[in-house]
Amino acid sequence: MLVGGEKGGSGKSCLAQNIAVYLRCEKKASVLMVDCDPQRTTSDWAQERSSNEELPSITCIQLYGKIRNELLSLKARYDYVVIDCGGQDNLALRSSMAVADHILIPLRPKRRDLKTVPHMEDILSTCKMVNPRMNAAFVITQCPSLPSLASRILEAKEVCRSFEVPVLNSVTFSRNMYDDSEESGRSVLESEADGKAAVEIRSIIEELLARGKGEQNESDKPFSLYAAS
């Protein structure tokens, strides 16, 4: 499972970390995290996490460059390999896309993020030639919670759909809980299991996995602001 994209600052590492904890703790799966970002955000998070004996451990390794063969080998040893790729088009991102079952591409509802959609669509199309069964989707992150700004979220989704790229109905809103949890090596699921941020994470990963199974198409449902309240 790959969380990546061309635009930095969209919350890729945060999403990857929370998804890994969801799979490890709520699905009882064996999980490996692969940090492909030179900034080592996820590696630092995993190190902080390992210092707390109360938290279920999640192994994290670093890989860079042409990592396709390494990922294929690791894929056979874990239920899930969650890959955190940095915000740029590089060999690690394309190598990961070539083998990933699920690909999640976070975007903020901002013009500079949405400008990357055409290029990401080109990359996905290229990688799909060697990985035709990939389940890829955009997800809108760090959304403003004011109802008056809901149009920005809807417009961002329409931009993605205009390039015929699936976009999840689920979103994340700007919440301090994400930053606070990451600093302590936790997930929002562990910091506040029934909190709004935890609901957002569960919704995103469950929708992505369900889409991969062909069970539903959540992106066709109307957007609701109730998650922000």
Side-chain angles (χ1 to χ4, degrees):
M1 178 176 296
L2 166 66
V3 183
E6 186 179 1
K7 189 69 183 73
S10 58
K12 290 180 289 296
S13 296
C14 179
L15 267 180
Q17 294 156 16
N18 280 279
I19 287 172
V21 171
Y22 169 88
L23 295 171
R24 171 72 174 83
C25 298
E26 300 198 9
K27 292 301 183 182
K28 308 303 179 184
S30 59
V31 178
L32 172 72
M33 295 204 73
V34 176
D35 190 352
C36 301
D37 188 346
Q39 294 184 13
R40 293 173 45 92
T41 302
T42 288
S43 297
D44 292 343
W45 170 84
Q47 185 174 358
E48 182 68 29
R49 183 179 183 85
S50 66
S51 65
N52 188 338
E53 296 180 354
E54 296 180 358
L55 299 176
S57 63
I58 296 178
T59 303
C60 179
I61 64 173
Q62 297 163 21
L63 292 176
Y64 305 103
K66 296 180 180 179
I67 60 175
R68 180 178 181 275
N69 291 337
E70 290 94 330
L71 292 176
L72 287 173
S73 176
L74 293 168
K75 187 177 178 180
R77 295 159 50 189
Y78 293 87
D79 295 328
Y80 290 95
V81 177
V82 180
I83 310 162
D84 173 19
C85 271
Q88 57 182 310
D89 177 10
N90 56 26
L91 286 174
L93 178 64
R94 290 179 180 251
S95 296
S96 301
M97 282 187 173
V99 298
D101 296 319
H102 306 282
I103 300 171
L104 192 61
I105 306 169
L107 293 171
R108 293 167 297 183
K110 297 182 178 182
R111 184 172 299 176
R112 59 181 177 271
D113 283 39
L114 298 175
K115 283 182 177 180
T116 68
V117 171
H119 188 213
M120 288 308 305
E121 192 275 335
D122 286 343
I123 298 173
L124 287 169
S125 297
T126 300
C127 292
K128 200 162 188 176
M129 294 179 186
V130 296
N131 185 11
R133 299 183 65 182
M134 70 163 61
N135 168 38
F138 287 106
V139 60
I140 308 303
T141 58
Q142 303 175 22
C143 296
S145 57
L146 292 176
S148 60
L149 298 178
S151 60
R152 293 188 181 182
I153 306 170
L154 297 172
E155 290 168 2
K157 290 187 175 187
E158 286 306 310
V159 169
C160 295
R161 293 193 183 110
S162 71
F163 287 89
E164 299 183 355
V165 178
V167 57
L168 299 187
N169 183 60
S170 307
V171 303
T172 69
F173 289 88
S174 295
R175 303 189 191 279
N176 291 333
M177 177 61 68
Y178 287 108
D179 290 335
D180 294 344
S181 298
E182 183 174 357
E183 288 179 4
S184 62
R186 294 177 180 269
S187 156
V188 296
L189 303 166
E190 296 161 322
S191 297
E192 193 175 334
D194 297 322
K196 294 169 185 174
V199 171
E200 292 167 5
I201 292 299
R202 290 191 187 97
S203 180
I204 286 171
I205 183 58
E206 289 170 6
E207 182 180 348
L208 181 67
L209 293 177
R211 174 182 290 278
K213 295 177 181 177
E215 294 176 1
Q216 58 184 359
N217 189 347
E218 291 286 345
S219 64
D220 291 335
K221 293 183 179 180
F223 173 70
S224 170
L225 269 180
Y226 288 119
S229 62

